[in-house]
């Protein structure tokens, strides 16, 4: 499963829970949300067989921007 969100820089809510995203896909989604630089959003990457992110860097950045981030 893959998801490219790069064409939606105004994205503030993303629920892709209970899917089968590989670690590189989870990392890419989080990195793109950081690049977008928006505040106060929500992203849910938990459940299913979604991989956990490689590390917490982008999660920490998003949390600092007021995001609610849920991962496996």
């Amino acid at each position: 499963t893959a998801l490219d969100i790069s064409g939606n820089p105004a994205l503030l809510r993303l629920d892709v829970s209970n899917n089968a995203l590989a670690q590189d896909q989870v990392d890419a989604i989080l990195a793109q949300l950081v690049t977008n630089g928006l505040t106060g959003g929500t992203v849910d990457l938990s459940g299913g067989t979604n991989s956990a992110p490689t590390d917490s860097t982008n999660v920490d950045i998003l949390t600092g921007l007021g995001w609610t981030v849920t991962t496996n």
Side-chain angles (χ1 to χ4, degrees), residues 18-66:
N18 299 310
N19 280 286
L21 297 172
Q23 189 173 52
D24 63 327
Q25 290 297 310
V26 171
D27 290 341
I29 289 168
L30 294 170
Q32 185 62 53
L33 293 172
V34 168
T35 297
N36 292 350
L38 300 176
T39 59
T42 302
V43 58
D44 188 350
L45 298 161
S46 67
T49 58
N50 285 343
S51 295
T54 301
D55 61 47
S56 66
T57 302
N58 286 325
V59 172
D60 293 343
I61 292 169
L62 289 169
T63 301
L65 291 171

Side-chain angles (χ1 to χ4, degrees), residues 2-29:
L3 177 64
D4 179 4
I5 63 167
S6 62
N8 194 348
L11 191 63
L12 280 173
R13 287 179 178 62
L14 179 62
D15 183 349
V16 288
S17 59
N18 299 310
N19 280 286
L21 297 172
Q23 189 173 52
D24 63 327
Q25 290 297 310
V26 171
D27 290 341
I29 289 168

